[in-house]
């Protein structure tokens, strides 16, 4: 079966959960997975699915016997503080569980709809839960897959040379990131201290002065490859569980001084935020589109990177900033950029294939991120470095505050969603984070 | 109490385990921790301590009540497949357990010596066990802390510029490495495939042709710092559990093409080997020496990197290579370099302090490695890149085979030990790995 035509994605489906029937992020065609705790008491975390303005506690559903007949019927893999055990159960289990949840939430299925006791336990308003990091992440890798972003950075930092380095169009450049400091949307991000150096001065240690965000998409590995085994572009999708929005917070002044010759280190290791709901590739299938960013003049692909012609995803992305002052007066986040993930030069399948081309093992829960998502338009630049062109062209907020880089108290709000004619709009929710002062 | 004078390090101590009384790596003054399984059946892994040619199964000792009165008396943290739970118990537990093991193994303690039943279960010849990766590693960080190594690399790759980049003496340069592919000594290492590019040709994909090793020392984090909390140089030692030898296998041809601008990625992610026995900082304390590599002409240290004047460790290191042909005829590994960890420009406490200076959290089990350990002498160069000066000066093995870089079938054998007058010699054992052909 073509996953694009998966019955769980059928636009004619409707849920008896009323809030899922509008144009929000979480209709019955989405059903992303996350981990939450109820805010009330010291309750344990559980795995859930977002539906409209609510979340469905899959552990409670399991206890009620609603997953009988699925691959997870024998162990409650939802009574966990991460998705890992569920994801370890494999692609058939993901699909079967999502199918069962779709069935349970459909207008015409009474099982859960009419069982007040189970329903009132399992269905909880999102406003009453606290989302957790969805996966226990072993390794985190960050790519640099937008040629628009890489070109802009190249123009700024190497004005006299070719903006793209010679390797850029031959392989998806990436580097190992820091897994320990990945936090879920909503957690505050402290401005880091660090060593920086002004051009004609000695290095100093102090609060980062050029704090930036980077809008990225991330994908979680769902099926591991053993050490020494390569994953082809064609097979890669079967290894990917789903996607989230990623904010790769970046200290530009720390990065500038430290990054030669081994790449970014302290400039990126203080925090990375991810959105809490993992949207499965199954739900995203209707939004897969032709991968069109590689042009006729670009160098030919080596064989191991071919086969991704249909592997782009049209995910609309936007970034908003709300300063402390804006939040005080109740002004909505000011949208500073809008773009699409389809504009990336490299696909997620090429990233996974390249990463494993040496035999490197990707494990369940590993996070791979795309690098800054920037598009061809100036309005589609995914970080302040590009948007303000290193601070030379500041942004003005509705409060008339100017921003070259982030100020303490600024809240970043990233949103992502997919829509097209003939399919139901689905979304990722938000990836938020407020910058708190250095300490 | 000064840890240098810890009673467990007293040179007058002797063990009733006869093989621990020679000049080997594992006298009673060492007592490094590791994880092993017996080779016989499907037995579960356990935590053990090396003593002479044997290993002491701490789980069996715990079951026999031998850890009563220590901080771990209530939970058998040794019935595990990693050291993590034991290490999580904290520095007092590490010290108390090592103290109890020292007591149990002393000539004059009869408890274990004369209890044949427990002793025969718990004490097992190292030849009859299979060592496992000692820790469950969350994040792996690799530094570049030898100025001799960095200078040599700079001379080779930037012959017209200053060999050391401007930041080198101001901060310990490092990068995030790949945790998933860290393997224990003895595991085979497959030559990676990868994308490389000769100077005047298009890129190609195929087996790495310039495979190298890097001799490094690694240290495991034993006490975490929470996200946002910095660890000072002075406090850093309290966060470190112990050290191992690390072989940072490197594909030089992959690295050369991929590494700009984000650093090494696929060139290093296919394997990293570590020695199996973690030598505690407590055991290493007698070999702490003055940190003398920073000269009067070097730039002043920023405050957050000061305080490491006594934090060097005089660990003797040597690297041997045994080709397949040498092993066939029974020739011992050919020693290609000898050096000391005391020659590093940055100390392990400076590395930890710099790493956390942004508030980055280090978790229990995280591995930080030093980067290639090279010394001032040509004979103390810690990788083939330097030893053969990019292949221009090949090494000749006793079999008259030449090596510019590693050949399939080559076995790398790294050894490390400490000795000085007035202290008992202790060692790390070996970090071994055989290169198998690309597939």
């Amino acid at each position: 079966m073509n996953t694009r035509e998966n019955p769980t994605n059928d636009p004619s489906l409707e849920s008896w959960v009323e809030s899922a029937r509008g144009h929000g992020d979480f209709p019955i065609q989405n059903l992303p997975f996350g981990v939450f705790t109820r805010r009330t008491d010291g309750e344990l975390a559980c795995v859930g699915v977002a539906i409209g303005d609510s979340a469905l506690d899959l552990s409670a559903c399991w206890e009620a016997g609603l997953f009988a007949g699925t691959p997870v019927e024998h162990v409650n893999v939802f009574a966990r503080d991460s998705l890992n055990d569920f994801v370890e159960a494999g692609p058939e289990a993901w699909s079967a569980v999502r199918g069962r949840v779709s069935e349970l939430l459909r207008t015409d299925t009474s099982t859960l709809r009419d069982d007040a006791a189970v329903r009132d336990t399992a269905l909880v308003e999102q406003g009453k839960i606290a989302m957790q990091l969805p996966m226990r992440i072993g390794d985190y890798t960050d790519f640099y897959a937008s040629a628009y972003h890489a070109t802009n950075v190249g123009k700024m930092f190497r004005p006299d040379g070719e903006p793209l380095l010679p390797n850029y169009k031959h392989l998806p450049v990436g580097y190992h990131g820091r897994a320990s400091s990945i936090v879920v949307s909503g957690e505050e991000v402290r401005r880091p201290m660090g060593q920086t150096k002004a051009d004609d001065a000695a290095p100093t240690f102090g609060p980062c002065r050029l704090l930036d965000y980077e809008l990225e998409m991330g994908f979680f590995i769902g099926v591991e490859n053993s050490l020494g085994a390569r994953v082809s572009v064609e097979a890669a999708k079967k290894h990917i569980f789903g996607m989230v929005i990623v904010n790769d917070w970046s200290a530009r002044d720390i990065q500038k001084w430290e990054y030669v010759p081994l790449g970014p280190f302290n400039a990126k290791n203080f925090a990375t935020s991810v959105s809490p709901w993992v949207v499965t590739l199954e739900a995203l299938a209707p939004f897969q589109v032709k991968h069109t960013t590689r042009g006729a003049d670009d160098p030919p692909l080596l064989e191991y990177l071919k086969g991704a012609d249909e592997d782009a995803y049209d995910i609309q992305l936007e970034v908003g900033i709300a300063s402390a002052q804006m939040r005080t007066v109740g002004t909505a986040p000011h949208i500073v950029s809008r773009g699409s993930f389809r504009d990336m030069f490299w696909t997620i399948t090429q990233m996974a294939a390249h990463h494993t081309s040496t035999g490197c093992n990707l494990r369940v829960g590993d996070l791979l991120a795309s690098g800054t998502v920037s598009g061809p338009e100036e309005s589609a630049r995914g970080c302040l470095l590009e948007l303000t062109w290193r601070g030379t062209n500041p942004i003005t907020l509705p409060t008339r505050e100017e921003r070259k880089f982030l100020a303490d108290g600024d809240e970043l709000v990233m949103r992502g969603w997919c829509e097209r004619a003939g399919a139901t709009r689905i979304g990722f929710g938000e990836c938020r984070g407020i910058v708190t002062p250095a300490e």
Side-chain angles (χ1 to χ4, degrees), chain A residues 143-148 150 164-174 217 219 233 243 291-294 298-302 304-308 311-313 341-354 369-373:
Chain A
F143 285 89
Y144 192 55
S146 163
Y148 300 110
L164 284 184
L165 290 166
N167 59 11
Y168 189 85
K169 293 192 166 183
H170 293 276
L171 55 83
V173 168
M217 290 301 299
F219 54 104
V233 168
M243 298 183 72
H291 181 218
T292 58
T293 49
R294 179 173 284 270
D298 289 330
L301 276 173
L302 285 170
Y304 81 104
L305 292 170
K306 286 183 183 168
D311 290 355
Y313 287 86
F341 191 58
R342 71 182 298 163
D343 289 330
M344 304 305 279
F345 191 77
W346 296 101
T347 68
I348 60 173
T349 49
Q350 289 172 322
M351 294 180 223
H354 180 66
S370 63
T372 306
V373 183

Side-chain angles (χ1 to χ4, degrees), chain A residues 27 69 99-100 120 137 147 152 154 174 274 286 296 359 365 424:
Chain A
R100 177 62 58 90
D120 291 352
I137 300 166
N152 285 333
V274 300
T424 305

